[in-house]
Amino acid sequence: MPPFEVKIEKLIYGGDGLAHHEGATVFVPFVLPAERVAALAIEQKKKFIRAQPETILEASPERIDARCPHFGVCGGCNYQHIPYSQQLEYKTEILRETLRRIGRIEWTAAIATHSSPQWEYRNRAQWKIRPAAETEHDADEDGARQAGRRAKKEDAKLAIGYFRANSTALCAVEDCSILAPSLLSALLALRNALAQGKLPQALREVEVFGAEATGASPAKLLMTATFAGFPARAAELAAEFRSIVPQIESLLFHDPGRDRMELFGPGFLEYEAGGEKYRVGHFSFFQVNRFLAGAMAEEVAQKDEGGKLALDLFAGVGLFSLPLAGRFERVVAVEANPAAARDLENNVRGKGAIEVRNSDVDRFLERCKEKPDLVVLDPPRAGMTPDGIRRLARIAPARITYVSCDPSTLARDLAALIAGGYELAEMQLFDLFPQTFHMETIARLRRRE
């Protein structure tokens, strides 16, 4: 199909612009509403077309130059062509539209928006590593092993970066403006080391979580290196990693094919947010925006009216549990991930009447007999299960605060909670992910009288 012309109608969740062409819905990334675009189809079905912009025929007056030279190729950012203030406005519009379309919720009241510094905010990153001569290979384990075998030539060079959008082809990067300074420093150091052949060909991925330098405390990094074949002389290689990236506090080597791991260091680092210190381990989740994590904890916990009992479901390492302890007589923190639950137990020790349950949330709610004043929900992107929603409605907490990273599942779950006897009282948007389509939402609900 040759390039075709469309006019972009609006932006939708996922980063694309929406248009129509000859009866089909067209999705085009890196565009703005009202732009005329010559687009090239990359996937075509009967009723929809996914396309790439070939030429911007008529640009929006809002369009700006992207800061990153990899924008449009790398799959990480979606909105660098949009001024930051406009990004916030589009996200708010998308949130309202998603509530209406999926949840049949007409939210016409204000949505308080919490902005972030738009650059250098990410405290976590996952970098893919592939032979520089290869652009794409199978994403499964066999493909990774085949790629590793092909790369064992003496002159093979490794590149580091991110996968391209909707692809397993590597976009090797020389910069990443959304990374916190310590992470960018680590990325560039690893890039140089790979180019010099200092790291093994079996290295496939590096994930880093970092705490930036504060006062006399230096920056510290938690690094997990994944291999297609566990490295020989692991201790020597760990020392090499530390010489390349001196900020490493804890280093974990992982070979998923053989289910083998080896740890070099304490296995965690301490991270400060909102005046509290949290132990965060290699397999624990923590909010990725270093500027807004503390503000979210304050909004969720310290601005609640308090009471006798609060449940913190999907508690992670306790970002909300700790400040909730200052508002409630008892807090029960529920976390299914054993690694995160261990960090949680450490973090709540001596912090008030906080009880930790290492349990699946649905199972916990099935057995719960108490009626809490507040339930805080911070589920993964998939949201709550139908059984979880029903069981939550059964115990009938007076208030629910829902923290969501996906407006689609949020809209679905809010509709179910409203049907179960709640009313939506407040909506807030925390922009944890500037330059991307992602958004974090805090919704407050109250039990109807």
Side-chain angles (χ1 to χ4, degrees):
M1 182 178 183
F4 58 96
E5 182 180 324
V6 292
K7 185 173 183 178
I8 306 301
E9 299 165 21
K10 62 181 180 179
L11 298 185
I12 61 172
Y13 186 70
D16 288 339
L18 182 142
H20 288 89
H21 177 71
E22 296 182 350
T25 303
V26 183
F27 303 97
V28 188
F30 313 122
V31 293
L32 278 158
E35 288 189 329
R36 286 195 311 111
V37 178
L40 181 65
I42 57 174
E43 180 184 1
Q44 187 170 3
K45 303 291 185 181
K46 185 175 181 180
K47 293 293 185 179
F48 78 88
I49 299 170
R50 296 198 181 278
Q52 287 291 334
E54 286 278 289
T55 308
I56 306 297
L57 302 173
E58 185 177 325
S60 165
E62 294 177 355
R63 179 174 284 273
I64 60 174
D65 292 333
R67 171 168 166 170
C68 178
H70 307 294
F71 180 67
V73 179
C74 167
C77 290
N78 318 94
Y79 286 169
Q80 286 197 24
H81 62 298
I82 305 175
Y84 184 56
S85 61
Q86 293 300 113
Q87 292 182 32
L88 297 175
E89 291 183 15
Y90 286 125
K91 288 183 181 184
T92 303
E93 291 174 10
I94 289 168
L95 176 57
R96 287 189 193 276
E97 192 275 336
T98 305
L99 291 173
R100 181 171 55 252
R101 178 173 52 84
I102 294 178
R104 301 293 187 265
I105 300 168
E106 291 288 345
W107 182 256
T108 57
I111 297 177
T113 302
H114 302 260
S115 63
S116 166
Q118 59 178 306
W119 308 109
E120 300 183 351
Y121 64 85
R122 282 197 69 101
N123 59 26
R124 185 183 295 275
Q126 188 181 82
W127 301 314
K128 305 297 183 180
I129 297 168
R130 298 291 185 269
E134 293 182 15
T135 58
E136 191 164 357
H137 64 79
D138 292 338
D140 60 17
E141 180 182 318
D142 289 339
R145 291 185 182 282
Q146 291 167 12
R149 286 194 290 270
R150 289 196 299 269
K152 285 183 179 178
K153 299 177 181 178
E154 291 297 322
D155 60 348
K157 300 293 184 182
L158 293 174
I160 186 169
Y162 305 99
F163 282 155
R164 302 179 183 212
N166 304 312
S167 172
T168 54
L170 184 72
C171 173
V173 300
E174 301 174 358
D175 192 14
C176 183
S177 298
I178 63 175
L179 293 179
S182 66
L183 270 67
L184 180 58
S185 174
L187 171 65
L188 298 180
L190 289 169
R191 179 176 178 270
N192 290 337
L194 290 166
Q196 296 168 26
K198 292 183 177 180
L199 295 173
Q201 295 288 332
L203 183 61
R204 312 309 292 157
E205 181 180 285
V206 171
E207 182 171 354
V208 180
F209 175 73
E212 293 304 294
T214 55
S217 177
K220 296 180 179 179
L221 298 178
L222 198 68
M223 182 177 289
T224 302
T226 300
F227 298 86
F230 200 82
R233 298 188 177 91
E236 293 179 18
L237 181 58
E240 181 67 28
F241 266 94
R242 290 185 183 277
S243 70
I244 295 166
V245 185
Q247 302 97 324
I248 292 174
E249 174 80 0
S250 184
L251 177 64
L252 180 70
F253 287 168
H254 182 211
D255 175 8
R258 295 178 174 84
D259 196 24
R260 181 177 173 183
M261 290 182 282
E262 191 165 346
L263 178 66
F264 305 89
F268 63 89
L269 57 75
E270 280 196 342
Y271 194 94
E272 185 172 346
E276 299 280 2
K277 288 186 177 180
Y278 299 87
R279 183 178 115 163
V280 182
H282 285 271
F283 296 109
S284 293
F285 169 79
F286 201 84
Q287 296 291 353
V288 303
N289 188 305
R290 66 191 181 103
F291 300 113
L292 290 184
M296 282 186 61
E298 179 181 358
E299 186 62 44
V300 168
Q302 295 179 9
K303 292 189 178 180
D304 187 85
E305 60 197 69
K308 291 185 177 181
L309 173 63
L311 304 182
D312 184 12
L313 307 184
F314 310 97
V317 302
L319 176 63
F320 303 131
S321 302
L322 269 62
L324 282 170
R327 307 288 290 174
F328 290 84
E329 295 177 15
R330 287 175 59 222
V331 175
V332 178
V334 182
E335 174 54 48
N337 182 333
R342 284 194 296 272
D343 289 335
L344 175 61
E345 288 173 349
N346 181 85
N347 291 334
V348 305
R349 195 171 295 131
K351 297 291 186 178
I354 307 176
E355 304 164 21
V356 175
R357 302 283 190 271
N358 182 197
S359 170
D360 175 84
V361 165
D362 282 9
R363 189 176 302 115
F364 171 83
L365 288 174
E366 183 180 19
R367 299 172 181 175
C368 183
K369 305 300 182 184
E370 298 181 273
K371 181 177 179 178
D373 299 291
L374 172 71
V375 170
V376 174
L377 304 172
D378 187 10
R381 193 169 301 279
M384 295 285 289
T385 66
D387 282 345
I389 292 285
R390 285 193 293 269
R391 290 163 183 166
L392 185 58
R394 176 184 58 79
I395 65 173
R399 304 181 303 281
I400 298 173
T401 298
Y402 194 133
V403 183
S404 168
C405 62
D406 188 305
S408 301
T409 55
L410 173 66
R412 179 201 66 198
D413 291 350
L414 288 181
L417 289 168
I418 290 169
Y422 287 85
E423 60 184 8
L424 186 56
E426 186 179 341
M427 294 287 296
Q428 300 193 44
L429 191 155
F430 275 75
D431 193 31
L432 299 192
F433 314 95
Q435 315 306 332
T436 81
F437 68 84
H438 297 287
M439 64 184 81
E440 197 86 359
T441 308
I442 296 177
R444 284 194 168 93
L445 301 100
R446 291 184 176 272
R447 188 81 182 169
R448 287 194 295 270
E449 298 296 334

